[in-house]
Amino acid sequence: MAAAGRALPSAGRSKSDIREEVWEHLEASGLAEFPRPVRGRIPNFKGSLQACCSLRELEAFSRAREVKVDPDKPLEGARLAALQARKTLLVPTPRLRTGLFNRIVPPPGATKEMLRRCATSQGVRDFSVPVGLDDKAQVDLVVVGSVAVSEKGWRIGKGEGYADMEYAMMVSMGAVQEDTPVVTIVHDCQVLDIAEELLGDHDLTVDYILTPTRTIQTHCKRPKPQGIMWHKVSSEMLGKIPILKTLRWREKQAGKDVTLQDEHPALADTNRAAISDRKVMAVNPQPWAAPGSAPGGSDPVNPKSEGSDTITTVYVGNLPGSLRVSQLKSALRELQVVPAALKWQGAQHRAFLDYREQGAAHRALSSLQGLSLGGSALRVELAKSQRNKGQGEINSHK
């Protein structure tokens, strides 16, 4: 670690200790770059572009057609390399709030300068197209940021677990295989000895480390996550990541155990469902009321909604003829996006979901995107014309 300046101590340290030491050292040594301060982030560093340029020299990159690169600032050069090589570039949505990835689509005939812009965080927002669960992404190379990493391939992120969760979700949806290479790009001083006992079975390991001075192949034998470990997922995380709800519903339909970290493991499935239903009823006293019917009493979650006339309606189309309304209701409960009212039009292969809050309607949109029921991928969007509470028919999507 001669290029790193002084070596950072790591023996006997927790993950949190190592993160703090790396962040402090990058700032104190003048290696930290915008955005500052680097504490709490995947840190940007002097020489990040040089480190990213080494990506082009990896055979794994040359072979790859689809490359997933995290949105962190020090990985901007990796995103640019993928675009310049005309590879399909997938970038996770920030904190997975609106899905898993976006595909970056530069304008036709994009110049070098335009490609550089597409690789920036603003470009990722301006030139992206959402990738749904049913788009059959096949990622050939994964590039992640790190706060610290060992030459054995053991990685420490910023402590929020998003990179680990992204990878587990990609496994769940079939987007990566066991041998899909994982690359991280860091400064030399971030390459440390990390005690193996700090790692959990959900932690993502890496196969290549790129620094401004070195390319390290780790030959890591430790298995990567084999999918989503639901017993380590909290209800809070599930609530923050709509697409995670969709994956959980799919895996439950496939017969997998999707018990969450804070759910009592001894409860039978039916009891958990009953408890879930009671929670829904507590939040929404009449969750399946007919359109236009007034709820009995105020909304305990949002007292301001009492007497409000605004309804946001979500259109759900492409419902198979064999689907029953109870199956749709069950899916909505599992995804925790129960509407105030549901209007079922099975003969027209559609339904309308009424939400009292616009935010709840948008969460439903995110959760239902890419969902298949009865073998058909649902078409989900905001209804073209909204209506007020108390009116009769919805006149859109006729």
Side-chain angles (χ1 to χ4, degrees):
M1 292 213 342
R6 66 179 179 87
L8 296 177
S10 62
R13 301 291 189 176
S14 67
K15 283 184 178 180
S16 179
D17 291 335
I18 293 171
R19 290 186 191 104
E20 291 294 339
E21 287 165 359
V22 169
W23 289 327
E24 181 181 345
H25 177 67
L26 286 168
E27 291 285 2
S29 63
L31 294 170
E33 290 275 35
F34 173 86
R36 306 274 300 276
V38 294
R39 187 181 185 280
R41 308 178 192 271
I42 297 296
N44 194 17
F45 55 89
K46 289 182 178 177
S48 62
L49 185 58
Q50 182 180 348
C52 287
C53 285
S54 299
L55 189 63
R56 297 184 177 94
E57 300 168 12
L58 292 182
E59 185 182 348
F61 178 77
S62 300
R63 291 197 311 261
R65 289 176 295 178
E66 290 195 14
V67 181
K68 173 256 185 187
V69 184
D70 283 352
D72 308 296
K73 179 67 174 175
L75 305 182
E76 191 172 299
R79 296 191 292 274
L80 178 59
L83 292 173
Q84 288 177 332
R86 299 294 188 263
K87 299 184 186 296
T88 299
L89 173 60
L90 303 176
V91 178
T93 61
R95 297 179 180 271
L96 304 175
R97 283 187 293 258
T98 58
L100 183 50
F101 341 98
N102 289 319
R103 184 172 66 253
I104 310 308
V105 184
T111 62
K112 289 182 180 180
E113 184 55 42
M114 177 55 74
L115 291 180
R116 276 194 285 271
R117 181 181 168 195
C118 290
T120 66
S121 57
Q122 185 61 49
V124 167
R125 288 190 289 270
D126 292 344
F127 299 100
S128 63
V129 176
V131 176
L133 286 178
D134 294 318
D135 286 343
K136 306 300 180 188
Q138 287 295 328
V139 177
D140 303 308
L141 184 70
V142 174
V143 183
V144 297
S146 301
V147 174
V149 65
S150 79
E151 292 192 17
K152 294 181 180 180
W154 302 339
R155 172 188 174 274
I156 295 177
K158 61 185 176 184
E160 295 181 344
Y162 284 103
D164 303 319
M165 179 56 71
E166 287 161 11
Y167 184 87
M169 290 166 72
M170 287 192 289
V171 172
S172 179
M173 62 189 284
V176 294
Q177 310 304 318
E178 284 185 23
D179 59 351
T180 303
V182 178
V183 179
T184 194
I185 297 171
V186 295
H187 192 273
D188 293 271
C189 73
Q190 294 172 257
V191 183
L192 306 170
D193 292 327
I194 296 173
E196 187 171 8
E197 56 264 27
L198 293 181
L199 301 188
D201 52 5
H202 64 287
D203 284 320
L204 179 62
T205 56
V206 304
D207 303 293
Y208 295 92
I209 304 168
L210 306 183
T211 79
T213 67
R214 293 193 290 170
T215 295
I216 303 167
Q217 187 170 0
T218 67
H219 302 287
C220 184
K221 302 301 182 187
R222 187 181 178 91
K224 293 181 174 65
Q226 299 300 300
I228 300 169
M229 298 176 184
W230 294 107
H231 64 284
K232 295 193 174 183
V233 177
S234 66
S235 297
E236 181 182 9
M237 177 173 275
L238 191 72
K240 290 178 179 177
I241 305 176
I243 195 171
L244 194 56
K245 298 177 189 176
T246 308
L247 285 169
R248 184 180 186 230
W249 185 86
R250 287 187 174 191
E251 294 203 358
K252 184 173 184 179
Q253 294 297 105
K256 295 185 179 180
D257 183 359
V258 295
T259 305
L260 299 181
Q261 183 183 65
D262 43 7
E263 290 178 333
H264 198 292
L267 287 176
D269 285 346
T270 52
N271 289 343
R272 285 203 302 272
I275 289 173
S276 175
D277 287 353
R278 285 198 295 273
K279 286 180 180 177
V280 167
M281 293 298 289
V283 169
N284 189 349
Q286 292 184 318
W288 307 115
S293 64
S298 62
D299 184 337
V301 171
N302 183 9
K304 293 181 182 178
S305 68
E306 184 176 4
S308 171
D309 290 333
T310 302
I311 290 287
T312 303
T313 301
V314 173
Y315 164 80
V316 181
N318 201 35
L319 298 173
S322 60
L323 191 75
R324 299 191 301 270
V325 64
S326 60
Q327 292 173 283
L328 177 59
K329 290 178 180 179
S330 176
L332 293 170
R333 286 191 182 102
E334 287 291 336
L335 297 171
Q336 300 179 13
V337 289
V338 175
L342 182 153
K343 181 168 183 168
W344 177 258
Q345 296 182 351
Q348 289 79 37
H349 306 286
R350 66 190 181 193
F352 295 93
L353 314 178
D354 288 350
Y355 292 91
R356 295 191 188 99
E357 297 177 355
Q358 201 170 48
H362 284 283
R363 284 193 296 276
L365 282 172
S366 296
S367 297
L368 294 170
Q369 288 294 344
L371 183 65
S372 293
L373 286 177
S376 296
L378 303 186
R379 178 187 166 200
V380 187
E381 58 191 62
L382 287 177
K384 290 176 183 173
S385 65
Q386 303 296 319
R387 64 182 174 82
N388 289 336
K389 201 184 327 183
Q391 292 181 333
E393 293 295 318
I394 301 173
N395 296 317
S396 60
H397 302 284
K398 291 286 188 182

